[in-house]
Amino acid sequence: MNSRSRVLQHVLRTSLRVGLTAFVGFASVSSAFAGDKPRPRLITVTWENDLFVGDDSGYTNGLGVTWARVGLAAFNKENLPSWLHAVSKRLYISSMPEKARAVSYTIAQSMQTPEDLENTELIEDEAPYFGMLAWTANLHAYDARVADTLALTLGVVGPASGAEFSQKLSHRILGSDEPEGWEHQVDNELVFQLQAERLWRLGELSFDNGSGFDAIGIGRVALGTIRSNVVAGLSIRYGRALERSFPAATVLPGRESNPLVFGAPGSWQVFFNVLGSYVANDISADGNTFRDSHSVPLEHWQTMLVAGVSYSFGRWALLLSAVDASDSYENQPEPTRFGSLGVTVSFYSA
């Protein structure tokens, strides 16, 4: 069997695994909103995997479920947990005048492995085996020109993340090679990150057929044990109903709910993002923050290119993107490349 066939076979097997996992995640999220609590307007299931771009090492897999409510007049106890509302009502994101608002929550598991999955020894010159299970709350405030997001992420890395169990179980069920080096993963540790992002819609060009271009400036600052960095970039988009999806353009659009489901029928977009960042710390390369563990020298200056396409039909929207990033640590043997598939469904009409 040639290498292309092996990659295709692995993608098909992994797709089956992700489909089953996404179904379980969707059921869990739906049950969490049962009863008297209002259901979210949007639910998105996102799968990130390097096999989309023909690789199988480094950042290897991520699976997340996001649920969101959009078009809110204000943040209050009806759309936020009481503790989060108590904190957020004192912050700029709640007091900005003449803004529409939205709130979204994400539960995601991600994992990173070295190039050689069958090596049982510690691979000194590659980033450690790494798994993270995290919950993120995003508060959005936006108008036609500027969109702000303030996010809090809480999670755990190490064996408690379940990444080793997930990967080994799926490989056994599907008959894939079992990864042998998870004993060298980072240790259990609680992690967090605070993040602020702003998008500026710098300009747009519309055509008579309803399509058009726009340009979006991107700025982001993050601080925490997961990663601390400063990001600046530019997004160029072409499509229909761009003004509706502007607040979710962001650095990696596949990780947010896709508001194109509220656009005109057959709304679509093609986008290209160019980003540069300074990274002060990154737990996936630095290892544990509060104890000794395997680490590699971090590359502080990094760049990223993101290209993708999105399309909506009825209550559904699909987003497919590809990421090509510079090395995240010194002497990284394989480039950081992965693809993302996001499926969004809306529960209420606009």
Side-chain angles (χ1 to χ4, degrees), residues 95-292:
S95 60
M96 302 170 76
E98 300 180 357
K99 296 280 188 176
R101 288 177 168 78
V103 57
S104 62
Y105 305 96
T106 299
I107 295 177
Q109 183 187 65
S110 59
M111 63 186 69
Q112 167 185 280
T113 62
E115 184 177 4
D116 185 1
L117 293 178
E118 297 182 3
N119 192 336
T120 61
E121 303 298 323
L122 176 64
I123 304 175
E124 295 283 354
D125 56 353
E126 290 193 46
Y129 274 83
F130 172 82
M132 180 170 67
L133 182 64
W135 170 86
T136 300
N138 296 282
L139 304 181
H140 310 270
Y142 53 93
D143 56 29
R145 311 302 305 181
V146 178
D148 286 276
T149 299
L150 189 61
L152 169 66
T153 299
L154 303 173
V156 62
V157 299
S161 72
E164 176 184 4
F165 174 82
S166 297
Q167 190 178 50
K168 285 187 173 182
L169 177 62
S170 61
H171 279 217
R172 288 171 186 167
I173 293 174
L174 299 172
S176 303
D177 294 333
E178 184 167 320
E180 300 290 350
W182 274 103
E183 65 180 277
H184 304 296
Q185 69 176 302
V186 298
D187 295 324
N188 283 331
E189 190 168 277
L190 297 177
V191 294
F192 79 95
Q193 184 184 67
L194 294 171
Q195 180 175 281
E197 181 179 86
R198 170 164 287 190
L199 308 177
W200 295 267
R201 200 163 188 236
L202 304 175
E204 60 277 339
L205 176 63
S206 300
F207 302 112
D208 292 339
N209 63 2
S211 66
F213 286 94
D214 70 1
I216 298 172
I218 300 172
R220 173 187 286 183
V221 177
L223 178 65
T225 57
I226 298 173
R227 179 181 295 158
S228 300
N229 64 350
V230 178
V231 181
L234 179 69
S235 176
I236 303 296
R237 303 188 302 161
Y238 173 65
R240 295 186 63 203
L242 297 179
E243 69 283 354
R244 292 178 179 265
S245 58
F246 156 63
T250 193
V251 173
L252 292 170
R255 293 182 177 177
E256 260 300 330
S257 292
N258 188 345
L260 271 181
V261 293
F262 294 137
S267 301
W268 56 274
Q269 64 173 274
V270 178
F271 59 87
F272 184 75
N273 297 356
V274 181
L275 304 143
S277 65
Y278 178 82
V279 183
N281 62 277
D282 185 339
I283 196 169
S284 67
D286 295 329
N288 290 102
T289 304
F290 301 108
R291 64 181 73 183
D292 291 333

